[in-house]
Amino acid sequence: MTEPLFDPRRTAFISIDMQNGVASHDSFPNSADEVISRVSTIVDAARAGGGLVVYVRTSFLPDESDALHPKMDVARPARPTRPQGWDQIVPQLQPLATEPVIVKRSFDAFYGSELDLELRRHGIDTIVIAGISTHFGVEGTARSAYNMGYDVIAVEDAMGAANLAGHEGSLKNVLPYIGRVRSVAEVVASFIAEQRS
């Protein structure tokens, strides 16, 4: 039998931006629908195995005065008109009352949020991470997790990006150097390993 990747009871699955506003985004190589479906599979396994499920969503004040506005080489578009409910978790992934929902306002879900406190209060030492997009929200959060001493596992087939180059760049050049890159099947097997023994 293959050794599990982690102890489910000390592991959190963090889904990045599985919210209504992202569900229609272009996503490569895995479509947004595929990512949502695979994230749902991991959520079910984490719950069954005794892991903590954490939802991260991006949201701002109505005038977005709490959004970051640094000077950048890339011109940002004007503030978009957001549809009602754009920042709410997709219907396929409804958090339980005991599952934290973290609001982020940048690419890093740890920055300016209670994410680290929630993980430490639950005795978490390992995070499994997936969602959209690979080279922004997922990578940004994974980098901070690494810096804070968490073991990081990125789920390569449960994430996607607006372009393939961004996705592949993270998977090849960043995520393997700050943790492990694994598949949905491997992560699910580790969450439910104790149930099979």
Side-chain angles (χ1 to χ4, degrees):
M1 180 175 166
T2 305
E3 187 73 17
L5 296 170
F6 48 75
D7 176 352
R9 294 160 300 186
R10 297 185 60 82
T11 300
F13 173 52
I14 301 177
S15 72
I16 300 292
D17 290 347
M18 295 287 88
Q19 60 192 70
N20 294 326
V22 173
S24 59
H25 283 191
D26 288 337
S27 176
F28 301 95
N30 307 299
S31 71
D33 285 344
E34 289 170 329
V35 172
I36 291 167
S37 176
R38 292 168 187 169
V39 163
S40 179
T41 297
I42 300 170
V43 166
D44 290 344
R47 288 172 175 169
L52 176 68
V53 177
V54 179
Y55 301 82
V56 171
R57 64 187 184 92
T58 299
S59 187
F60 305 104
L61 293 171
D63 64 355
E64 300 199 13
S65 58
D66 56 342
L68 298 174
H69 301 285
K71 293 184 170 86
M72 299 182 296
D73 284 334
V74 177
R76 295 194 74 131
R79 183 166 63 89
T81 301
R82 310 273 192 188
Q84 185 72 26
W86 71 275
D87 57 352
Q88 299 304 302
I89 303 297
V90 294
Q92 302 93 311
L93 297 169
Q94 286 307 296
L96 301 179
T98 54
E99 294 171 343
V101 178
I102 303 296
V103 174
K104 71 176 178 66
R105 293 173 177 82
S106 71
F107 301 135
D108 175 3
F110 283 96
Y111 185 76
S113 81
E114 68 275 22
L115 178 55
D116 184 51
L117 289 174
E118 287 285 357
L119 297 178
R120 296 192 190 282
R121 285 169 178 160
H122 286 86
I124 299 300
D125 59 25
T126 301
I127 70 161
V128 174
I129 190 166
I132 295 175
S133 66
T134 309
H135 60 316
F136 288 122
V138 174
E139 180 183 315
T141 302
R143 282 176 181 266
S144 276
Y146 166 82
N147 290 334
M148 293 177 178
Y150 293 99
D151 285 333
V152 177
I153 299 171
V155 192
E156 61 184 331
D157 49 344
M159 58 179 74
N163 59 72
L164 190 57
H167 173 82
E168 291 182 342
S170 282
L171 286 177
K172 291 177 182 176
N173 302 319
V174 179
L175 295 172
Y177 293 91
I178 61 176
R180 294 170 285 172
V181 177
R182 295 295 186 269
S183 68
V184 171
E186 290 173 294
V187 166
V188 166
S190 289
F191 270 123
I192 65 176
E194 286 193 14
Q195 293 183 317
R196 294 175 174 171
S197 58

